[in-house]
């Protein structure tokens, strides 16, 4: 996402509802209650943030079971997760998990202290041009879940799933459909944009995607065309941003060698980028935020907030019991 000046932000706040907030890392485990419910372990390691109801199986209203969240808004007990990035040693073929660092800038209200984590967006589908009156959204019902992208994809990259190379100062390079081909001094920035049109009836679908429809054909935060008759309900556009701190491995990336970073499913191809979403906001909290123009980024009087020091106390137990960090001979589950 390109930067927005303070002056533009002041204008946007008056006409547009949209949330942007940080969530610290909750856990890194081989569990996936959307794609492989009940499987312990699942196929590959995920990086998970959000509520402490996260488990191998999650059905019904998860907000009724969670008691805390690693996100800034305590009424958001949802879970957000992606695959985990690993470095593959070019000489001996061993793997090391790449650490996550918070997206910069962080919470704009000064709530600092995020540990690792993911920055989450809920927008009406564009951060500049939309208004609440022209583009109202209906928020997700309890039990809703979806995915975007696929680890098996080896073809064209899904729109909205992109990589950016960060400079040492945090500047973002151009959006790319695949991994960077040279070392990134500040890490690799990964974006996951979910579709925003719902069929209005299914909380999930067999492929975890068909109940949603994507009308966006360009990358970034852009105004989406109208939803089709098959998926007529406009939902908030959910987006994740994650920074993988690849800098500690740059000295091992030999000049001219191919990209040494892989996703936790041995995904050497960038188009395998994917993400999962499990809705878990309490009551009408998210709808209240989407209905108020004063709710923009992490400034929202309609929602409660918590210091990140409090959010960081939220944990879940290790349900798999395997080593996922340090130098490994093979990826967990592979």
């Amino acid at each position: 996402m390109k930067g927005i000046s303070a002056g533009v932000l002041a204008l946007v706040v008056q006409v547009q509802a949209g949330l942007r907030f940080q969530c610290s890392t909750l856990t890194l485990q081989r569990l996936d209650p959307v794609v492989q419910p009940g499987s312990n372990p699942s196929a590959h390691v995920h990086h998970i943030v959000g509520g402490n109801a996260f488990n191998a199986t999650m059905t019904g209203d998860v907000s009724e079971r969670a008691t805390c969240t690693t996100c800034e808004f305590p009424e958001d007990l949802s879970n957000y997760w992606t695959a985990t990035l690993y470095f593959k040693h070019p000489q001996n073929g061993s793997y090391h998990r790449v650490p996550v660092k918070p997206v910069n800038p962080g919470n704009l209200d000064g709530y600092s202290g995020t540990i690792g984590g993911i920055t989450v967006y809920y927008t009406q589908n564009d951060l500049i041009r939309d208004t609440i009156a022209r583009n109202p959204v209906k928020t997700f019902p309890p039990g809703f879940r979806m995915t975007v992208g696929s680890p098996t994809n080896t073809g064209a990259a899904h729109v909205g799933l992109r990589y950016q190379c960060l400079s040492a100062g945090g500047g973002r390079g151009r959006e790319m459909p695949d991994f960077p081909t040279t070392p990134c001094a500040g890490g690799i920035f990964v974006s996951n944009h979910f579709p925003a049109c719902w069929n209005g009836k299914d909380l999930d679908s067999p492929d975890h995607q068909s109940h949603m429809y994507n009308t966006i054909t360009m990358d970034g935060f852009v105004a989406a065309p109208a939803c089709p008759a098959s998926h007529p309900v406009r939902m908030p556009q959910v987006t994740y941003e994650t920074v993988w701190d690849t800098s500690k491995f740059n000295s091992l990336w030999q000049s001219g060698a191919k990209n040494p970073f892989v996703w936790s499913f041995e995904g050497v191809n960038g188009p395998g980028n994917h993400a999962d979403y499990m809705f878990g906001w309490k009551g009408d909290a998210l709808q209240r935020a989407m209905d108020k123009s004063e709710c923009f980024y992490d400034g929202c009087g309609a929602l409660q907030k918590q210091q990140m020091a409090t959010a960081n106390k939220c944990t879940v137990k290790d349900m798999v019991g395997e080593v996922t960090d340090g130098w490994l001979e093979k990826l967990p589950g592979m």
Side-chain angles (χ1 to χ4, degrees):
M1 175 190 163
K2 295 180 174 63
I4 300 176
S5 70
V8 173
L9 281 175
L11 293 173
V12 173
V13 167
Q14 302 304 313
V15 299
Q16 156 79 14
L19 299 177
R20 175 194 185 273
F21 55 94
Q22 292 197 332
C23 300
S24 289
T25 298
L26 175 70
T27 187
L28 291 107
Q29 297 194 48
R30 204 148 52 94
L31 296 175
D32 190 338
V34 172
V35 176
Q36 293 181 281
S39 295
N40 184 353
S42 65
H44 55 266
V45 179
H46 292 103
H47 170 229
I48 304 124
V49 307
N52 67 342
F54 186 81
N55 210 315
T57 301
M58 298 175 71
T59 58
D61 188 349
V62 299
S63 72
E64 294 181 346
R65 297 192 298 278
T67 58
C68 65
T69 177
T70 64
C71 298
E72 185 183 3
F73 295 118
E75 293 174 283
D76 180 16
L77 299 165
S78 308
N79 285 110
Y80 313 89
W81 66 95
T82 71
T84 302
L85 193 65
Y86 280 82
F87 173 79
K88 186 174 184 178
H89 199 291
Q91 272 77 50
N92 60 31
S94 62
Y95 300 85
H96 198 292
R97 199 176 77 203
V98 178
V100 182
K101 64 180 182 180
V103 171
N104 184 34
N107 293 329
L108 300 187
D109 57 8
Y111 279 40
S112 60
T114 304
I115 298 174
I118 292 173
T119 291
V120 178
Y121 290 78
Y122 288 85
T123 66
Q124 290 167 306
N125 73 23
D126 181 88
L127 288 177
I128 299 296
R129 291 177 289 275
D130 290 325
T131 67
I132 293 172
R134 193 166 73 225
N135 193 48
V137 297
K138 173 182 172 59
T139 54
F140 309 97
F144 180 90
R145 69 278 316 273
M146 63 178 167
T147 68
V148 64
S150 170
T152 62
N153 180 28
T154 56
H158 190 288
V159 66
L161 303 183
R162 291 297 182 263
Y163 301 81
Q164 290 171 276
C165 197
L166 298 183
S167 68
R172 302 176 189 177
R174 64 181 180 86
E175 292 190 335
M176 302 176 289
D178 211 332
F179 286 113
T181 56
T182 57
C184 301
I188 297 177
F189 185 99
V190 179
S191 302
N192 304 93
H193 289 260
F194 286 80
C197 295
W198 182 41
N199 67 12
K201 57 183 179 180
D202 297 314
L203 300 178
D204 195 5
S205 51
D207 63 359
H208 316 294
Q209 297 184 4
S210 297
H211 58 310
M212 298 296 290
Y213 189 89
N214 181 34
T215 60
I216 296 175
T217 58
M218 298 174 63
D219 291 325
F221 292 87
V222 295
C227 291
S230 61
H231 296 72
V233 183
R234 173 71 70 187
M235 313 294 275
Q237 180 172 313
V238 177
T239 301
Y240 305 169
E241 292 177 343
T242 311
V243 175
W244 298 94
D245 188 6
T246 55
S247 60
K248 65 180 291 185
F249 304 102
N250 286 347
S251 62
L252 298 174
W253 187 343
Q254 298 175 343
S255 178
K258 65 179 182 180
N259 159 61
F261 296 101
V262 301
W263 288 116
S264 49
F265 48 90
E266 193 65 75
V268 296
N269 61 306
N273 182 11
H274 65 284
D276 297 50
Y277 172 74
M278 178 79 70
F279 175 77
W281 285 77
K282 286 185 178 180
D284 66 345
L286 181 58
Q287 189 69 62
R288 293 198 314 268
M290 292 291 98
D291 288 345
K292 290 185 177 293
S293 60
E294 56 91 8
C295 288
F296 191 73
Y297 273 31
D298 47 0
C300 184
L303 296 176
Q304 302 173 34
K305 298 171 78 171
Q306 65 180 355
Q307 295 285 345
M308 294 311 295
T310 300
N312 293 337
K313 295 177 182 178
C314 188
T315 61
V316 295
K317 65 180 181 180
D318 180 355
M319 291 165 269
V320 179
E322 67 181 349
V323 177
T324 63
D325 203 2
W327 287 106
L328 308 172
E329 291 185 3
K330 61 180 182 179
L331 292 170
M334 297 295 109

